[in-house]
Amino acid sequence: MKKLNYILLLLTFFAQGQILNPVKWKTKSVQKSETEFELIMEATIENEWHMYSQFTPEGGALPTVFDFKNAKGNYTLVGKTKESQYKKVFNDIFEVDEYYFAKTAQFKQTIKVTNTKLKEIKVYVEYQACKEQCIQQDATFTFQLPEIKEENIETVTAIVSDTNNINSSVIIDSTKNEVKNIKEKESVNDSKEIIEISLWLLFFGTLFAGILVTFTPCVFPMIPMTVSFFLKQSASGDKKKGRLNALMYGFFIVLIYVLISLPFHLFEKLSPTIFYEISTNPYLNIFFFIIFVVFAISFLGAFEITMPSKLANKVDNASNKGGFTGVFFMALTLIIVSFSCTGPALGGVIGSVLSTDGGATYLTIAMFGFGLGLAFPFMIFALFPSMMGNLPKSGGWLNTVKVVFGFIELALAFKFLSMADLVMDWHLLERETFIAIWIGIFATMALYLFGKITMPHDSPLQHISVGRLLLGILSLTFSIYLIPGLWGAPLNIISGFPPPMSYSESPNGVGYKNEFSNNNSTESDELPEDAYYGPHKIVSFHDYDKGLAYAKKVNKPVLIDFTGKTCVNCRRMEEKVWSQEQILSILKNEVVLISLYVDDRTELPKEKVYTNKSEKLIDTYGEKWSDLSINKYEANIQPYYVLMAHDESNLNKPVGYTPDADEYMNWLRDGISKFKK
């Protein structure tokens, strides 16, 4: 079930982004005497970013601050922390001078050890880094000390990991005076783990999609033709050349697809939030819906989407050139000629990735995976021609594969329409309607696979193959599984994919009352002012300030939920994790939930419209909450959970998507216990 879930989620990634970390640190300590050490902390700052001096004037950016943690009773500071030369610039907005570093910064602090048993020194630093936006960061450095002996005057170097909470350590062999670096202990942010998992899922999913596309009428017959060309080169006397050209042919296929993604990196550089804006833009999602429907109809056999014949002929003529140039144009010819089959699948890949905020990196990896999957059969059969005998013969089954793709693409199209509907709150495609459409699509696909329905390009069907029968049974079973969803069943296999239960014609269920309720609940008179019933009737707030004020009134910690109407994993957390009895009890009784929708297009009152540090006009609630997430918490992923005290400080480390209910419950209990201390 998990594998099926991943496949369904693959082409419609939830909004998620990377944690910014523009400053990398290195540390070293120099022993100046038996008891004196100079601690050196060097920062490497990414291009266009800068961090601020310890002495930058008040009223502007936040200065860099060092805290020498275990100084009391162990060592004393000799003078103040010295720093390298900074730049001085007048800030027109704050009307103060600001002192900042660009590219590099160095800080030195001399300490005198008073406790000879001291083994390490801990230094904590807080600093602000700015580019188009400003983020608050921190790091912890650990300096290991040798025995306090005169002969041990050595330079100790420890490289710091690239995470926000950093530890570095080294061991000195006092006999041989050799420095041995120990591997850094990295504290990996939960959101980074999510991104890494998604990237691997994206790569293997698109790789699989690329391989599947080769089993279509436009591509499959070209495999033996192309492979035979390279085999003839080998037979002519130069086997190495033939194999090299076969490998280069595959390489160029992958390269061409990757090149298609490169312009999006430029778009992302010009506008870092462009992918987020695309993922939540209802009109772009409607556009993707239309594109998917057109591609699906093409796969079903109504018409073919092809490249202009003149372009195909020119490229084909260029492939007659010798050397790698000819091989490149052969690869380009394949891509153009097979576009009627690969185009819809490729459009699905691009449209799905663009509809998330995964960024240009996601798109490049998706294109790389798709190109590699398409190129793989050509390369493998050219290198191992004896395997060609295992290939099935061309026939009507190729069109069957194409039609099945059409049904799947049609089903996926309605996810885009659903996202647009959710953002605009039109209620045109509520949960029951969405599920009913999917039931119709997959039931029809089952009838097609059983031979009860034929498409325009199908060959006469005398019998059903075992593979086709099994796939038909799977499609029919999936359709039957979806039916209870019309009456409020959670449908865990596709959890988070259809609209949430609260976005339906019967939010309280049909024939029984479930845990979901809309904002028009009859129990609204029991709610605190400005609150509403969220998932599982959890008392929730949309407004940050009002939720915080209520939390102070009832003396409970705040749980900030950065979420989105179109966020798949947000719904999965609500439906599969929040529904757990112990977690639900905590959410209802021990915290105050503030759900901030980053794709909420409700306009802010005119007096609350503002321009952020990146000089972007913030005029909707969604933009306001997204700006808060990025600038205060250095995260632009959803879901993102923050347990906060009344002074707006974090009670523990925020987390992202946490499907393990026990892990999420432990995180909640940890933060609540710290609040009560």
Side-chain angles (χ1 to χ4, degrees):
M1 285 188 177
K2 290 184 177 179
K3 292 183 178 178
L4 177 58
N5 215 358
Y6 289 154
I7 293 172
L8 289 173
L9 293 177
L10 172 64
L11 293 177
T12 51
F13 277 125
F14 52 92
Q16 78 183 357
Q18 296 181 343
I19 300 299
L20 300 173
N21 188 25
V23 181
K24 307 295 188 299
W25 290 90
K26 290 184 180 180
T27 66
K28 64 181 179 180
S29 69
V30 177
Q31 188 171 359
K32 304 177 70 173
S33 70
E34 184 175 358
T35 58
E36 281 194 357
F37 294 82
E38 185 176 61
L39 310 181
I40 302 173
M41 294 153 283
E42 298 177 340
T44 301
I45 308 166
E46 290 183 5
N47 289 338
E48 300 181 9
W49 285 85
H50 50 271
M51 62 180 291
Y52 294 89
S53 163
Q54 303 169 90
F55 314 113
T56 194
E58 294 183 3
L62 299 178
T64 299
V65 178
F66 290 92
D67 182 9
F68 295 82
K69 287 292 187 183
N70 56 336
K72 187 176 181 180
N74 292 316
Y75 61 91
T76 58
L77 305 181
V78 181
K80 296 182 178 180
T81 303
K82 299 177 182 179
E83 63 183 35
S84 55
Q85 185 62 43
Y86 55 73
K87 296 181 180 180
K88 179 179 177 181
V89 174
F90 182 77
N91 189 313
D92 293 326
I93 298 176
F94 298 112
E95 297 183 344
V96 295
D97 288 325
E98 290 185 333
Y99 308 153
Y100 72 90
F101 304 100
K103 295 186 178 180
T104 60
Q106 186 183 73
F107 304 89
K108 296 181 179 180
Q109 175 65 59
T110 300
I111 60 102
K112 185 177 181 65
V113 176
T114 57
N115 178 8
T116 57
K117 295 182 180 180
L118 182 65
K119 299 298 183 183
E120 64 181 26
I121 295 173
K122 290 184 178 293
V123 182
Y124 176 76
V125 59
E126 285 185 329
Y127 56 98
Q128 189 176 69
C130 293
K131 185 183 175 184
E132 296 176 348
Q133 61 188 27
C134 292
I135 58 176
Q136 190 71 16
Q137 295 194 293
D138 63 86
T140 300
F141 310 127
T142 303
F143 296 87
Q144 298 282 359
L145 298 181
E147 293 181 12
I148 309 300
K149 293 181 180 179
E150 197 67 35
E151 61 269 24
N152 282 342
I153 302 177
E154 292 290 334
T155 300
V156 180
T157 303
I159 297 179
V160 181
S161 65
D162 292 339
T163 55
N164 287 334
N165 296 311
I166 308 172
N167 290 315
S168 61
S169 58
V170 296
I171 295 177
I172 294 184
D173 188 323
S174 59
T175 305
K176 298 181 180 179
N177 293 325
E178 294 179 351
V179 178
K180 298 180 180 179
N181 291 323
I182 298 179
K183 294 181 179 179
E184 302 104 359
K185 296 180 180 179
E186 300 186 1
S187 174
V188 182
N189 189 282
D190 291 317
S191 60
K192 183 176 180 182
E193 291 177 353
I194 297 168
I195 292 169
E196 289 174 351
I197 293 171
S198 298
L199 288 175
W200 281 112
L201 178 62
L202 177 63
F203 170 73
F204 286 115
T206 51
L207 176 71
F208 183 64
I211 293 173
L212 285 180
V213 166
T214 62
F215 295 99
T216 56
C218 317
V219 182
F220 189 80
M222 298 184 70
I223 295 177
M225 294 170 55
T226 306
V227 170
S228 64
F229 172 79
F230 294 117
L231 291 180
K232 287 179 181 178
Q233 287 187 331
S234 299
S236 64
D238 193 348
K239 292 185 178 181
K240 289 184 178 180
K241 181 180 178 181
R243 290 179 177 177
L244 178 60
N245 284 342
L247 291 174
M248 292 305 299
Y249 179 75
F251 169 76
F252 286 135
I253 291 174
V254 177
L255 177 64
I256 291 168
Y257 279 112
V258 169
L259 289 175
I260 295 173
S261 72
L262 295 186
F264 293 95
H265 287 267
L266 176 61
F267 300 152
E268 187 177 46
K269 187 174 182 181
L270 295 174
S271 177
T273 60
I274 187 171
F275 284 87
Y276 160 74
E277 293 168 0
I278 291 174
S279 69
T280 59
N281 187 295
Y283 304 106
L284 284 175
N285 275 298
I286 291 174
F287 171 75
F288 291 136
F289 164 72
I290 295 171
I291 292 296
F292 264 57
V293 170
V294 171
F295 283 159
I297 294 173
S298 172
F299 264 161
L300 292 174
F303 53 83
E304 286 193 356
I305 302 173
T306 59
M307 288 284 196
S309 57
K310 289 184 179 180
L311 176 62
N313 292 334
K314 286 183 179 180
V315 174
D316 186 45
N317 291 333
S319 67
N320 294 324
K321 296 181 180 180
F324 290 156
T325 302
V327 176
F328 172 82
F329 282 104
M330 281 185 64
L332 187 57
T333 300
L334 169 70
I335 292 172
I336 292 174
V337 172
S338 63
F339 185 77
S340 61
C341 290
T342 60
L346 182 61
V349 171
I350 296 176
S352 298
V353 177
L354 287 180
S355 69
T356 73
D357 67 347
T361 301
Y362 272 58
L363 184 59
T364 298
I365 290 174
M367 298 298 279
F368 174 76
F370 184 82
L372 184 61
L374 180 61
F376 182 76
F378 291 90
M379 292 188 294
I380 200 70
F381 288 121
L383 293 175
F384 305 99
S386 60
M387 295 177 63
M388 289 284 291
N390 297 323
L391 278 177
K393 295 181 179 180
S394 298
W397 67 271
L398 289 173
N399 192 67
T400 301
V401 172
K402 189 177 178 181
V403 171
V404 168
F405 281 168
F407 280 114
I408 294 173
E409 192 145 8
L410 183 61
L412 293 175
F414 283 93
K415 177 59 181 174
F416 293 98
L417 183 60
S418 172
M419 290 193 290
D421 186 55
L422 284 165
V423 170
M424 299 305 293
D425 204 28
W426 288 328
H427 286 268
L428 298 175
L429 192 63
E430 294 178 322
R431 183 178 177 89
E432 293 91 343
T433 308
F434 182 96
I435 293 172
I437 290 172
W438 269 38
I439 291 172
I441 290 173
F442 286 101
T444 304
M445 188 172 85
L447 292 174
Y448 170 76
L449 291 168
F450 291 146
K452 302 301 181 182
I453 298 174
T454 58
M455 293 297 171
H457 301 295
D458 282 338
S459 302
L461 186 64
Q462 297 178 352
H463 67 276
I464 298 176
S465 66
V466 174
R468 182 165 179 163
L469 176 64
L470 293 176
L471 188 59
I473 292 173
L474 178 63
S475 181
L476 180 60
T477 302
F478 183 62
S479 300
I480 296 172
Y481 168 79
L482 294 175
I483 292 174
L486 298 172
W487 289 275
L491 303 180
N492 287 333
I493 289 180
I494 58 170
S495 175
F497 206 83
M501 290 186 179
S502 58
Y503 195 81
S504 68
E505 296 178 6
S506 303
N508 290 318
V510 177
Y512 69 95
K513 189 174 182 180
N514 65 15
E515 288 290 339
F516 290 86
S517 174
N518 62 9
N519 294 349
N520 298 320
S521 171
T522 57
E523 301 178 43
S524 59
D525 57 333
E526 300 177 8
L527 287 168
E529 186 178 359
D530 301 310
Y532 70 101
Y533 282 117
H536 310 289
K537 290 191 179 177
I538 301 169
V539 175
S540 309
F541 290 84
H542 278 320
D543 188 274
Y544 179 93
D545 294 326
K546 292 176 180 178
L548 178 58
Y550 179 73
K552 292 177 180 178
K553 179 180 177 181
V554 298
N555 194 31
K556 293 179 182 179
V558 172
L559 173 61
I560 299 178
D561 166 29
F562 287 102
T563 184
K565 296 180 180 179
T566 62
C567 173
V568 173
N569 273 11
C570 301
R571 303 293 84 77
R572 288 173 59 80
M573 285 292 294
E574 293 166 4
E575 294 171 13
K576 302 188 73 172
V577 177
W578 286 14
S579 61
Q580 299 296 313
E581 184 177 353
Q582 290 179 305
I583 293 176
L584 186 57
S585 176
I586 292 173
L587 296 178
K588 284 188 173 184
N589 302 310
E590 299 184 47
V591 300
V592 173
L593 177 64
I594 304 178
S595 293
L596 305 178
Y597 285 81
V598 299
D599 52 5
D600 185 352
R601 302 224 165 221
T602 305
E603 293 184 356
L604 287 167
K606 290 184 179 180
E607 64 274 13
K608 293 187 177 181
V609 174
Y610 68 97
T611 302
N612 67 4
K613 295 180 180 179
S614 302
E615 299 184 357
K616 178 182 177 181
L617 183 67
I618 305 298
D619 58 0
T620 68
Y621 280 98
E623 290 173 337
K624 179 181 179 180
W625 305 139
S626 179
D627 187 56
L628 174 67
S629 175
I630 292 172
N631 287 301
K632 183 174 181 179
Y633 299 106
E634 307 167 33
N636 53 352
I637 63 168
Q638 295 85 45
Y640 195 67
Y641 304 107
V642 181
L643 273 171
M644 189 177 76
H646 295 161
D647 62 358
E648 301 183 63
S649 63
N650 294 353
L651 292 170
N652 55 8
K653 186 177 180 180
V655 298
Y657 177 58
T658 312
D660 187 316
D662 290 336
E663 182 182 348
Y664 190 76
M665 183 172 62
N666 291 336
W667 176 78
L668 287 171
R669 286 176 172 170
D670 174 66
I672 293 170
S673 65
K674 290 177 180 177
F675 174 81
K676 292 179 179 179
K677 288 182 179 179

